[in-house]
Amino acid sequence: MEKRKKKKHSFPGSTLSKKHRPSLSYAPFRTSLLVILAIAVFIGIFWIINEYQTYRKSIANIRHNYQELYRMRVEEEVDNVLDFIEHRRALAGRRVENELREKVQSAYTIASHIYRMYREIYSVVQLRSMVAEILRPVRWDNGLGYYFAGRLEQDTIDLFADDPFLEGQALRDVKNHLYGPVAGDIVTMVREKGAGIYHYRPRKKNTTDDSFPGISFIKYFKPFDWYIGAGISNEAMEKNLQEEILSTVQDMRFADNGQIFCFRFDGTIISHRNNNFIGRSITELIGERGEAYGQAMLKTGLQEKSGGHIRCSAPGISPEEGRQRLCFVKAYPAWNWIVVADMSMDAMDKAIRDETRTYTTISFKNVFIFIGLFGVAVMLLLSAAYYHSRKIQHGLSLFTDFFRKAAHTQVKIPETELTFSEFEDLAGLANTMVDDRMEQERILRRDELRLDTLLQLGTMDEFDIKDKYDFVLHRILRITGSESGYIMLVNHARTHATLCSMVTIGNGQVGLDPDQDTSPRLLADCGLSGGCIVRNKVSIVNDRNIARQHIPYPYERNIARRMDIPISTDGQIVLTAGVCNSAKAYDDSDVRQMTMLLEGLWLHVLKTCSEKEMVKLERQVIAIGEEERSRIGRDLHDDLGSHLSGVEILSKVLQQKLEKQSPDQARQLAIIRNLIREAIEKTRRLSRGLYPVHVIEHGMEAAIEELLAEIEQRYAIQCSLDFDQQAEPLAANIAPHVYYIVREAVFNAARHGRPDTIQVVILRQYNRLSVTIIDDGQGLVGQDRKKGLGLYTMQYRAKAIGATLDIQPGGQTGTIVTLSGEVFT
């Protein structure tokens, strides 16, 4: 019977599959020789190339950063000067308009008064003449302001204080005069609107193209068929404003040696730090290398609307200042000015020289250190190789014991270090067993860590929202085993994303770097981070080559693998988060863990935002109420109060006349005057209660004393005030709130408590304010303390100034209201 030959199978770890593997006995020596040669060649080449590239990159970064800083600084200084000029011009223009309105209103009041007084005695023509003679000599603003008036229907000028030649003439006869077109426009505006501001630019006398700006306010006075106006020429005023601004600009400094100077479109220097340059032409400025940088400044200022930069080698203002300088030139066409900001760039050259010396010193030091460490490493490597070759047999027995222990522990053998064939089978079995146990424990730890993160997030109310983002992102990195990660917020239109958190485990970075760009970024420029938002789909890339084909943003270097997840709420993507460089490939379990954490984070953010919005709305209610009170108070004080004062004055004039003609009527008019004065006083008290300007003008003590005097008069209650005389005045934004809290508490006590006495005590110790209002009335019932808009308003005002308000019943009767807190910072 023929015997069958047994077929030999080749299994992993069998003798046939290992015949080409190196022997364990000779491996240490062979490895030592290869390592020595590799270290000698590759480390030396790598070190030289790396040092040179680092040096070049450092110099380039220094140069780029300094140049950008210089450009931004000089541009900022020029823009600040131009904003300063516009601000001053706007303030001057508004002041002139308000002044003209007041002057015309005064003239209108005079005309109304004269018309009411004498309309039964004189004709309208005579009354016009009387008013014109009263207004003719009136001047203001150093004689620049004047009055004018004319009849609307008859088209005749009755008063023109600035040019009497026009008085008595018709507009059709003065069309070719300096003010002919202006007068025609004024008549048209009065007919259409009745009153208003008119800006004009009439031609100067004996010129054809020059002009100067003027402004007028005109109001129609129907009884005279007059338009009454007040006008002023801004030419001299604007010239004074220019001189004031030039004086201010000449004293402006920035950085260590920066300066601001100005010149006109014709090249004449009108402001300079060095007075010797003023009046000279900018084209005369020549650099040390012969470049006509003054001519370049003039050309750039005239041609470049948005301004331009110029580098030159002009000497500094003082010998110790640098010669390499950067200028930014920008025109101000309204005044035919060109503004220049100039600063030295020597700090950049000094930084480059210092960096070169530092790298040279470090390079020589590193060479000697490298040689010494390399020699020590070679000796250690050879000694280790010899030692391990003698201990391999003993190590095999120890290795076997290790595998027995690994079945019950989490110790693993790194397979990448197992280059010997004798250990491959044992390592594979042991690691498989340990991997199964570690995977189950890892899943359990991830779930526990995720739940702990959500629980701790609910207790972080005192932390900033950015800290919460950083905290959750750090936990995500721990759960997924990643090296770095980010969180970005997505706008409603899904066009831009904003980086709000960045954490890197390796370098200890938690949160965004101060120099990191956090401006909104187009999704197309965000690489895979933006792609997952556009597609609304999770992106997982575990292939290093594929990952390198995309923009690494927001990471600053190439990555091996990454995962990006969009988070949606109500169908709208609100944020996206990603991690990278995990030790193992990302999978669906990582997606689930991240998604649950991020959804919990977003729900927490929505809850926090809603709470902040509620606080904001409460403050807006106080602000709106304050604004409305101030508006009503100002209207009462400015409009009704002024009107009543005018009526009282006219009544006094009439009374003085009637005292001689009709004493009985004069006495009746005196009674009317008393009623008007009482109305004025009531209006004043009411306006002060609504708009406490006296708190700021006369101080807190005077305002509260006046308040208590009013309480005593109205309610017959004895009031007292204890005020800390040594205390400094309260800030303007705090005093009104304190005053209103005291006012509300005192009036509540007087109206509802029916006390006999009210005491107000105001003390201050260092930065702490204490205000106490004590009364001996009926006090507040428990339900009454929870009702009433006044009590809520007092609480909100206390919060607005960072103080606390406490309302407690006093002793046996009455109520104690206490306001305390640090309100001076």
Side-chain angles (χ1 to χ4, degrees):
M1 191 172 177
E2 186 176 350
K3 296 181 178 180
R4 296 181 179 179
K5 296 182 179 181
K6 294 183 179 180
K7 186 177 181 181
K8 295 183 178 181
H9 298 274
S10 179
F11 296 100
S14 64
T15 303
L16 292 179
S17 63
K18 302 175 183 177
K19 62 182 180 180
H20 298 296
R21 298 183 182 276
S23 173
L24 184 61
S25 302
Y26 298 100
F29 296 99
R30 186 181 295 109
T31 303
S32 299
L33 180 60
L34 293 175
V35 168
I36 291 172
L37 294 176
I39 290 176
V41 176
F42 293 104
I43 292 184
I45 295 174
F46 172 80
W47 180 81
I48 293 173
I49 295 175
N50 183 68
E51 286 295 318
Y52 180 74
Q53 291 180 345
T54 302
Y55 167 73
R56 293 294 299 274
K57 184 176 181 181
S58 177
I59 296 300
N61 286 338
I62 290 174
R63 191 182 304 277
H64 174 75
N65 292 338
Y66 269 87
Q67 289 179 351
E68 287 299 316
L69 289 175
Y70 288 146
R71 287 174 174 268
M72 292 172 59
R73 186 58 187 276
V74 293
E75 289 180 11
E76 180 183 4
E77 293 300 328
V78 170
D79 290 337
N80 289 340
V81 172
L82 296 181
D83 291 342
F84 170 73
I85 294 174
E86 289 294 337
H87 176 68
R88 292 298 300 271
R89 291 189 68 188
L91 289 179
R94 288 195 293 271
R95 182 188 66 81
V96 170
E97 290 184 5
N98 292 333
E99 185 178 20
L100 291 178
R101 290 177 186 271
E102 294 175 359
K103 296 299 181 181
V104 171
Q105 186 60 41
S106 298
Y108 190 93
T109 303
I110 291 172
S112 299
H113 174 66
I114 292 177
Y115 177 76
R116 288 194 301 269
M117 294 287 296
Y118 302 107
R119 62 183 176 182
E120 303 295 335
I121 303 173
Y122 301 105
S123 65
V124 173
V125 175
Q126 292 174 322
L127 293 176
R128 286 198 197 103
S129 178
M130 292 173 62
V131 175
E133 293 305 319
I134 292 174
L135 300 180
R136 187 186 311 279
V138 178
R139 292 290 190 275
W140 62 92
D141 281 343
N142 297 323
L144 298 177
Y146 58 91
Y147 281 112
F148 61 89
R151 282 168 280 175
L152 191 63
E153 294 300 329
Q154 296 182 8
D155 206 22
T156 302
I157 300 175
D158 292 333
L159 170 64
F160 205 105
D162 192 48
D163 193 351
F165 169 78
L166 299 177
E167 295 181 4
Q169 299 189 42
L171 290 180
R172 59 181 176 272
D173 298 330
V174 295
K175 288 185 177 180
N176 296 325
H177 187 269
L178 173 67
Y179 291 98
V182 175
D185 293 341
I186 289 174
V187 170
T188 302
M189 184 183 71
V190 170
R191 287 175 174 172
E192 293 177 353
K193 301 180 180 179
I197 290 290
Y198 178 68
H199 296 268
Y200 60 92
R201 303 183 70 88
R203 291 176 299 163
K204 285 186 177 181
K205 298 179 180 179
N206 302 323
T207 60
T208 56
D209 54 347
D210 292 335
S211 63
F212 64 94
I215 182 171
S216 298
F217 179 76
I218 307 95
K219 189 173 183 180
Y220 180 65
F221 185 64
K222 186 175 181 179
F224 288 179
D225 189 31
W226 255 18
Y227 53 88
I228 302 176
I232 187 171
S233 172
N234 285 348
E235 182 181 32
M237 296 178 61
E238 192 161 65
K239 183 178 180 181
N240 294 335
L241 178 61
Q242 291 177 357
E243 292 176 356
E244 180 183 348
I245 290 175
L246 288 177
S247 176
T248 303
V249 170
Q250 187 172 359
D251 296 332
M252 286 184 178
R253 304 290 185 271
F254 65 95
D256 292 333
N257 51 19
Q259 63 171 336
I260 303 291
F261 62 92
C262 306
F263 58 91
R264 297 193 183 97
F265 279 7
D266 61 1
T268 303
I269 300 175
I270 56 177
S271 174
H272 200 279
R273 180 177 173 182
N274 189 340
N275 291 329
N276 295 329
F277 284 85
I278 298 178
R280 294 172 54 185
S281 175
I282 193 69
T283 57
E284 297 177 9
L285 301 183
I286 305 297
E288 292 187 340
R289 300 176 183 176
E291 68 271 24
Y293 69 91
Q295 183 68 34
M297 289 182 183
L298 179 59
K299 181 178 179 181
T300 302
L302 295 176
Q303 295 181 356
E304 300 292 337
K305 293 183 179 180
S306 58
H309 296 86
I310 296 176
R311 293 186 61 178
C312 62
S313 57
I317 301 303
S318 59
E320 61 271 16
E321 292 184 2
R323 300 181 180 275
Q324 291 296 326
R325 308 185 70 83
L326 179 67
C327 306
F328 181 70
V329 183
K330 191 172 183 180
Y332 185 67
W335 286 350
N336 292 338
W337 283 9
I338 296 177
V339 182
V340 181
D342 173 24
M343 69 181 299
S344 172
M345 299 178 63
D346 279 3
M348 178 182 69
D349 297 332
K350 183 178 181 301
I352 292 175
R353 291 194 299 270
D354 294 341
E355 190 73 5
T356 302
R357 286 195 296 269
T358 301
Y359 266 96
T360 302
T361 303
I362 293 175
S363 297
F364 280 102
K365 184 184 295 184
N366 289 342
V367 168
F368 292 105
I369 294 175
F370 173 76
I371 293 174
L373 293 178
F374 183 77
V376 173
V378 169
M379 294 299 298
L380 292 176
L381 187 59
L382 292 176
S383 300
Y386 177 78
Y387 175 80
H388 284 89
S389 65
R390 301 286 295 175
K391 295 293 182 178
I392 285 179
Q393 188 62 40
H394 179 67
L396 288 174
S397 60
L398 296 177
F399 210 19
T400 303
D401 294 337
F402 168 78
F403 283 124
R404 293 192 184 98
K405 295 178 181 179
H408 304 286
T409 62
Q410 295 182 355
V411 179
K412 292 182 64 178
I413 301 175
E415 296 182 4
T416 56
E417 298 179 6
L418 297 177
T419 57
F420 305 118
S421 59
E422 290 84 354
F423 298 134
E424 285 185 353
D425 292 339
L426 292 176
L429 294 173
N431 288 342
T432 300
M433 177 187 65
V434 174
D435 284 339
D436 292 337
R437 291 188 55 207
M438 291 179 63
E439 180 63 22
Q440 297 300 323
E441 294 178 1
R442 185 178 69 87
I443 294 174
L444 180 61
R445 285 196 301 271
R446 287 169 54 158
D447 292 335
E448 292 175 349
L449 187 59
R450 173 173 53 81
L451 294 175
D452 180 70
T453 301
L454 294 175
L455 291 174
Q456 290 196 33
L457 190 63
T459 63
M460 297 174 64
D461 295 334
E462 68 277 10
F463 288 85
D464 187 75
I465 189 66
K466 293 183 179 179
D467 296 332
K468 296 178 182 179
Y469 285 145
D470 297 338
F471 169 74
V472 173
L473 182 57
H474 189 272
R475 287 297 181 88
I476 288 176
L477 296 183
R478 289 180 56 187
I479 290 175
T480 59
S482 302
E483 176 183 314
S484 182
Y486 72 90
I487 295 178
M488 291 194 302
L489 298 177
V490 182
N491 67 338
H492 186 74
R494 282 174 57 176
T495 58
H496 292 75
T498 304
L499 186 65
C500 62
S501 178
M502 192 80 181
V503 176
T504 302
I505 299 296
N507 58 12
Q509 176 187 351
V510 178
L512 296 174
D513 191 294
D515 297 330
Q516 196 163 3
D517 183 14
T518 58
S519 58
R521 193 182 181 102
L522 287 171
L523 297 183
D525 299 333
C526 295
L528 293 175
S529 303
C532 74
I533 298 173
V534 174
R535 297 189 301 272
N536 194 12
K537 185 178 180 181
V538 176
S539 173
I540 298 178
V541 178
N542 289 316
D543 190 325
R544 182 188 299 268
N545 295 326
I546 296 177
R548 288 180 176 177
Q549 295 175 4
H550 297 275
I551 301 174
Y553 183 83
Y555 310 109
E556 297 181 354
R557 58 187 179 85
N558 292 329
I559 54 179
R561 54 176 63 92
R562 65 183 292 174
M563 176 172 62
D564 303 270
I565 301 176
I567 301 300
S568 303
T569 177
D570 297 331
Q572 176 68 31
I573 298 179
V574 293
L575 62 86
T576 182
V579 293
C580 71
N581 292 346
S582 172
K584 67 181 191 68
Y586 295 109
D587 54 22
D588 292 336
S589 65
D590 296 320
V591 175
R592 288 193 298 272
Q593 294 287 348
M594 279 188 63
T595 301
M596 287 187 288
L597 261 179
L598 293 172
E599 289 177 348
L601 170 63
W602 185 249
L603 291 176
H604 179 78
V605 170
L606 292 179
K607 174 178 174 293
T608 303
C609 292
S610 64
E611 294 174 351
K612 291 182 178 179
E613 185 66 22
M614 180 62 69
V615 174
K616 180 179 179 182
L617 289 175
E618 292 176 351
R619 292 181 177 177
Q620 287 179 348
V621 170
I622 293 294
I624 292 172
E626 195 69 25
E627 181 180 356
E628 189 64 20
R629 289 169 65 99
S630 298
R631 185 188 66 79
I632 296 173
R634 286 194 300 268
D635 290 344
L636 288 173
H637 182 272
D638 297 340
D639 294 342
L640 182 57
S642 300
H643 184 75
L644 291 175
S645 297
V647 172
E648 197 274 336
I649 292 173
L650 293 177
S651 300
K652 180 179 180 181
V653 175
L654 183 58
Q655 180 185 357
Q656 292 174 352
K657 292 181 178 181
L658 291 176
E659 284 177 351
K660 298 178 180 180
Q661 300 176 3
S662 179
D664 294 337
Q665 294 181 358
R667 283 190 295 272
Q668 294 177 0
L669 188 58
I671 297 173
I672 296 174
R673 283 189 59 202
N674 291 332
L675 294 176
I676 294 174
R677 282 195 293 268
E678 290 178 3
I680 293 174
E681 181 61 22
K682 291 181 180 179
T683 301
R684 184 185 66 83
R685 288 199 303 267
L686 183 58
S687 65
R688 287 195 172 186
L690 294 172
Y691 180 55
V693 67
H694 60 298
V695 175
I696 300 174
E697 294 179 351
H698 304 295
M700 177 65 69
E701 183 179 6
I704 295 180
E705 286 179 350
E706 183 177 349
L707 171 65
L708 296 181
E710 181 181 355
I711 294 294
E712 289 181 343
Q713 181 180 2
R714 293 177 59 181
Y715 298 98
I717 299 174
Q718 183 178 357
C719 300
S720 63
L721 171 64
D722 294 333
F723 192 90
D724 187 359
Q725 299 295 334
Q726 303 298 325
E728 295 181 1
L730 294 175
N733 61 334
I734 294 176
H737 289 286
V738 176
Y739 173 79
Y740 277 130
I741 291 173
V742 174
R743 181 182 179 87
E744 188 67 30
V746 170
F747 270 96
N748 283 342
R751 292 169 180 167
H752 308 295
R754 299 178 181 177
D756 295 327
T757 61
I758 296 176
Q759 182 181 7
V760 179
V761 181
I762 301 179
L763 300 175
R764 176 187 168 190
Q765 294 181 348
Y766 300 104
N767 288 342
R768 188 166 188 83
L769 175 69
S770 174
V771 180
T772 306
I773 300 96
I774 306 172
D775 68 86
D776 58 356
Q778 298 177 358
L780 291 176
V781 185
Q783 293 296 327
D784 293 336
R785 296 178 58 190
K786 301 180 182 179
K787 299 179 181 179
L789 182 61
L791 296 180
Y792 285 117
T793 304
M794 292 166 65
Q795 292 284 357
Y796 291 148
R797 289 187 183 278
K799 289 182 181 180
I801 61 176
T804 59
L805 184 70
D806 183 46
I807 303 176
Q808 297 294 337
Q812 298 179 353
T813 60
T815 304
I816 300 176
V817 180
T818 303
L819 174 71
S820 61
E822 294 181 1
V823 296
F824 295 91
T825 57

